[in-house]
C-alpha cells in the first residue's frame, strides 16, 4: 500500500491561457480548476514522450468528475483539441444542476463528439485511462467513487482528484488506498491540492457495497424502516433529527388526502427518500414523486422504496420543461434541479426538509428556490409541510411565496410549518 512520497507542485503551464479562454466564455475557473489543468497538461506531456503509435488507437477515455461550473471541462477540452490523438472526455457528476451548467457552457463549442455526458457513473469510468476532477467532500462519496473507478477503469488508469486544502483530511488518502495500490499527495498551490492514485485494487467483497443498507427505528408505520444510501447522500444511513420531527407529523399532513382517488405527493429534496417512502406506505393510493438534484439521492430513494416493498421508478429532469405526470401509485424518483420538470398546479401535498448548507457555509438560497417552486407546482389549496431549524427566517418567506402558514409544532431546535397555497 503506498503513500509513496510527495509530488512537487506543478508550474503554471496552461492555466493562465485556459483561465483567459474560460473567462471570455463567461466562466469563472477557480484554483482547483487551474491546478488540475496544469497537472493534467504535464501528464499529457509525459504520455506524448512515452506512447507508441499503437497507444493512439481511438477512442481514449478521460472521465471528468465533479465539475459543477463547467470551467474544468471546457479547459481540458481545449487541451485535448490541441492533440492529434482521439481523446474523448466524458463528464460525470452527481448534481443535475451542475451537469446542466456544464452542458450550457460547453455544448455550443462541441458539435464534435469529443465531449459526452454520462447519466450514471459506471458509464463514465468504463475503460477510462484518466479520471480527473474534484474530490467529493464526504468520505462515503469518495469511497463509492474510488471503488467504481477501480472496478471499471483500465488497470493503467491515473486518477487526479483535487480539492481545497481546508476540506481535505488524511482520511481521504486512506479511503483512496482501499481502492488503489499507490496514492500520492501532490504539493499544494493556492490552497488547493491533488491526490494521485494508480493501480486499482480488486473489489473487496468483504466490505459492504453501495448503496449501503440498514434498518432504522423511528416514527415509521411499523416503527422501523429499511434504508439504502449511496455515498454522499444527505444523512447517509441515519435519520436526520429534522426529518424525524416531520415524519412524526406525516399522518396529519396526509389526512386531508385520505379520501382522494389519486392524490399526488411531492418529496422536494428527497435525500434517501424516507419521507417519500413513509408517505407511500401510509397512503397506498398516492402517487409520490421524490425529487433531488443529487444522483446519489434519487438512486438511494428508489432503493429505499423497493426495500420497503414499494414500486419505484426513476427518471431524469426534462430539458424541455414541465411534462404531464403519471398518476400510478408508488414512488417516481426524479433526478432534477428544484423540481423544474414538475408541471404547474399538479401537486396536492409537498413534504420538505430544505437544504441550508452549501458545503460548510449556511446558504438559504436553495430554500428560497424550493419555496418558489412549491408555489408553482401546488394546486390551489394544496399544502406544503416544511421542517427547518428554528433560527432560519422561513416563516415570512413561506407566507409570502405560498400562502397562509401556521406553525404545527415547534421544539427548541425545529419548526414544522404548514402552508396552504392561496
Ligand atoms: C436537508 S436534505 C433533506 C433530505 C431528505 N428529504 C431528508 O429529510 O432526509 C435536502 C436535500 O435537498 C437536495 N437539494 C439540494 N439542492 C437541490 C436542488 N437544487 N434541487 C433539488 N434538490 C436539491 C439535497 O441533495 C438534499 O438531499
Amino acid at each position: 500500500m503506498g503513500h509513496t512520497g510527495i509530488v512537487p507542485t506543478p508550474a503554471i503551464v496552461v492555466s493562465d491561457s485556459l483561465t483567459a479562454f474560460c473567462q471570455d466564455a463567461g466562466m469563472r475557473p477557480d484554483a482547483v480548476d487551474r491546478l488540475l489543468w496544469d497537472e493534467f497538461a504535464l501528464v499529457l506531456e509525459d504520455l506524448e514522450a512515452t506512447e507508441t503509435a499503437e497507444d493512439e488507437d481511438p477512442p481514449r477515455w478521460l472521465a471528468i468528475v465533479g465539475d459543477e461550473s463547467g470551467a474544468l471541462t471546457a479547459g481540458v477540452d481545449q487541451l485535448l483539441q490541441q492533440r492529434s490523438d482521439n481523446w474523448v472526455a466524458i463528464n460525470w457528476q452527481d448534481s443535475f444542476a451542475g451537469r446542466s451548467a456544464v452542458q450550457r457552457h460547453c455544448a455550443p463549442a462541441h458539435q464534435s463528439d469529443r465531449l459526452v455526458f454520462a447519466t450514471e457513473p459506471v458509464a463514465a469510468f468504463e475503460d477510462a485511462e484518466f479520471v480527473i476532477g474534484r474530490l467529493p467532500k464526504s468520505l462515503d462519496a469518495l469511497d463509492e467513487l474510488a471503488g467504481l473507478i477501480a472496478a471499471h477503469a483500465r488497470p493503467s488508469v491515473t486518477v487526479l482528484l483535487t480539492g481545497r486544502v481546508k476540506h481535505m483530511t488524511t482520511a481521504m488518502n486512506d479511503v483512496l488506498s482501499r481502492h488503489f495500490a499507490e496514492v500520492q499527495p501532490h504539493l499544494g498551490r493556492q490552497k488547493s491540492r491533488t491526490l494521485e492514485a494508480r493501480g486499482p485494487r480488486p473489489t473487496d467483497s468483504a466490505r459492504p457495497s453501495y448503496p449501503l443498507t440498514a434498518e432504522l427505528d423511528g416514527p415509521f408505520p411499523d416503527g422501523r424502516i429499511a434504508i439504502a444510501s449511496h455515498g454522499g447522500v444527505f444523512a447517509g444511513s441515519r435519520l436526520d433529527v429534522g426529518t424525524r420531527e416531520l415524519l412524526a407529523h406525516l399522518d396529519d399532513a396526509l389526512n386531508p388526502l385520505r379520501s382522494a382517488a389519486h392524490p399526488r405527493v411531492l418529496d422536494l429534496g428527497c435525500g434517501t427518500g424516507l419521507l417519500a417512502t413513509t408517505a407511500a406506505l401510509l397512503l397506498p393510493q398516492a402517487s409520490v414523486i421524490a425529487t433531488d438534484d443529487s444522483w446519489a439521492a434519487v438512486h438511494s430513494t428508489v432503493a429505499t422504496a423497493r426495500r420497503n416493498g414499494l414500486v419505484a421508478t426513476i427518471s431524469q429532469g426534462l430539458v424541455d420543461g414541465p411534462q404531464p405526470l403519471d398518476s400510478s401509485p408508488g414512488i417516481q424518483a426524479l433526478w432534477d434541479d428544484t423540481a423544474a420538470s414538475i408541471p404547474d398546479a399538479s401537486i396536492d401535498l409537498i413534504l420538505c426538509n430544505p437544504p441550508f448548507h452549501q458545503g460548510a457555509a449556511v446558504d438559504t438560497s436553495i430554500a428560497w428556490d424550493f419555496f418558489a417552486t412549491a408555489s408553482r407546482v401546488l394546486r390551489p389549496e394544496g399544502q406544503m409541510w416544511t421542517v427547518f431549524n428554528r433560527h432560519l427566517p422561513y416563516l415570512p418567506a413561506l407566507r409570502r411565496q405560498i400562502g397562509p402558514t401556521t406553525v404545527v409544532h415547534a421544539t427548541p431546535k425545529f419548526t414544522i410549518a404548514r402552508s396552504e397555497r392561496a
Side-chain angles (χ1 to χ4, degrees), residues 32-170:
V32 169
D33 297 318
R34 291 172 54 85
L35 182 56
L36 263 169
W37 286 332
D38 287 329
E39 304 257 22
F40 184 61
L42 290 171
V43 173
L44 280 179
E45 250 175 44
D46 283 354
L47 206 64
E48 209 145 55
T50 55
E51 71 193 358
T52 64
E54 265 167 56
D55 294 326
E56 292 173 22
D57 279 347
R60 306 180 69 177
W61 292 99
L62 159 75
I64 302 176
V65 296
D67 173 28
E68 292 191 8
S69 80
L72 176 65
T73 306
V76 165
D77 188 67
Q78 282 297 299
L79 291 179
L80 297 182
Q81 303 265 5
Q82 289 153 19
R83 294 174 59 93
S84 55
D85 47 11
N86 204 356
W87 281 98
V88 179
I90 180 156
N91 184 288
W92 160 249
Q93 60 187 291
D94 183 71
S95 163
F96 188 89
R99 178 168 178 265
S100 310
V102 179
Q103 280 175 321
R104 261 197 314 279
H105 279 307
C106 298
H110 294 283
Q111 303 312 320
S112 76
D113 44 13
R114 281 275 189 161
L115 175 62
V116 292
F117 290 87
T119 51
E120 50 100 20
V122 170
F125 304 134
E126 206 67 70
D127 257 353
E129 285 183 57
F130 286 101
V131 178
I132 67 170
R134 283 176 187 259
L135 267 168
K137 290 188 189 91
S138 96
L139 292 179
D140 279 350
L142 179 60
D143 187 38
E144 183 168 12
L145 177 76
L148 286 170
I149 298 170
H152 297 282
R154 291 199 175 184
S156 60
V157 68
T158 300
V159 182
L160 300 174
L161 293 175
T162 304
R164 302 293 284 163
V165 171
K166 66 179 176 195
H167 297 137
M168 292 171 71
T169 62
T170 52

Side-chain angles (χ1 to χ4, degrees), residues 178-179 201-209:
R178 254 182 232 152
H179 303 284
R201 295 181 191 275
T203 305
D204 178 355
S205 53
R207 284 181 57 80
S209 61

Side-chain angles (χ1 to χ4, degrees), residues 313-328:
T313 58
I314 193 154
S315 62
Q316 60 172 296
L318 299 157
V319 195
D320 301 332
Q323 298 283 314
L325 289 175
D326 184 357
S327 48
S328 16

Side-chain angles (χ1 to χ4, degrees), residues 270-291:
C270 58
T272 49
L274 290 174
L275 292 167
T277 299
T278 311
L281 291 171
L282 289 170
L283 197 65
Q285 79 271 31
S287 166
V288 181
I289 300 158
T291 188

Side-chain angles (χ1 to χ4, degrees), residues 119-383:
T119 51
E120 50 100 20
V122 170
F125 304 134
E126 206 67 70
D127 257 353
E129 285 183 57
F130 286 101
V131 178
I132 67 170
R134 283 176 187 259
L135 267 168
K137 290 188 189 91
S138 96
L139 292 179
D140 279 350
L142 179 60
D143 187 38
E144 183 168 12
L145 177 76
L148 286 170
I149 298 170
H152 297 282
R154 291 199 175 184
S156 60
V157 68
T158 300
V159 182
L160 300 174
L161 293 175
T162 304
R164 302 293 284 163
V165 171
K166 66 179 176 195
H167 297 137
M168 292 171 71
T169 62
T170 52
M172 291 179 160
N173 302 31
D174 299 335
V175 169
L176 281 173
S177 298
R178 254 182 232 152
H179 303 284
F180 291 91
E182 286 175 44
V183 176
Q184 289 185 305
H186 293 198
L187 276 181
R189 192 176 83 190
Q190 292 181 304
K191 300 183 182 163
S192 305
R193 180 196 276 272
T194 297
L195 299 178
E196 176 174 343
R198 291 174 194 262
R201 295 181 191 275
T203 305
D204 178 355
S205 53
R207 284 181 57 80
S209 61
Y210 290 90
L212 304 176
T213 53
E215 296 280 322
L216 290 178
D217 291 329
F220 303 107
D222 294 334
R224 308 208 70 180
I225 204 164
I227 181 174
S229 61
H230 280 276
V233 67
F234 171 79
S237 47
R238 294 179 321 278
L239 174 57
D240 171 64
V241 266
T243 313
R244 178 187 288 272
E245 293 292 343
L246 187 47
L247 281 166
H249 292 83
L250 212 47
D251 248 334
D252 298 339
L254 294 168
N255 261 341
L257 305 179
R258 298 243 173 245
S259 54
H262 300 293
R264 201 173 268 143
V265 178
L266 175 67
D267 179 351
L268 182 54
C270 58
T272 49
L274 290 174
L275 292 167
T277 299
T278 311
L281 291 171
L282 289 170
L283 197 65
Q285 79 271 31
S287 166
V288 181
I289 300 158
T291 188
D292 205 291
D293 177 59
S294 156
W295 184 95
V298 289
H299 282 78
S300 302
T301 293
V302 167
T304 296
R306 290 184 181 154
R307 274 177 56 82
N308 290 284
L310 295 167
V311 174
T313 58
I314 193 154
S315 62
Q316 60 172 296
L318 299 157
V319 195
D320 301 332
Q323 298 283 314
L325 289 175
D326 184 357
S327 48
S328 16
I331 296 209
Q332 299 166 45
L334 173 68
W335 187 33
D336 200 3
D337 178 9
T338 325
S341 315
I342 305 283
D344 295 356
S346 59
I347 302 292
D348 299 297
L349 171 68
I350 298 178
L351 305 169
C352 188
N353 177 6
F356 68 98
H357 280 122
Q358 194 72 284
V362 171
D363 176 357
T364 49
S365 61
I366 303 168
W368 308 141
D369 293 345
F370 273 25
F371 300 161
T373 291
S375 156
R376 179 181 70 74
V377 302
L378 274 178
R379 63 161 177 76
E381 292 171 32
Q383 293 189 356

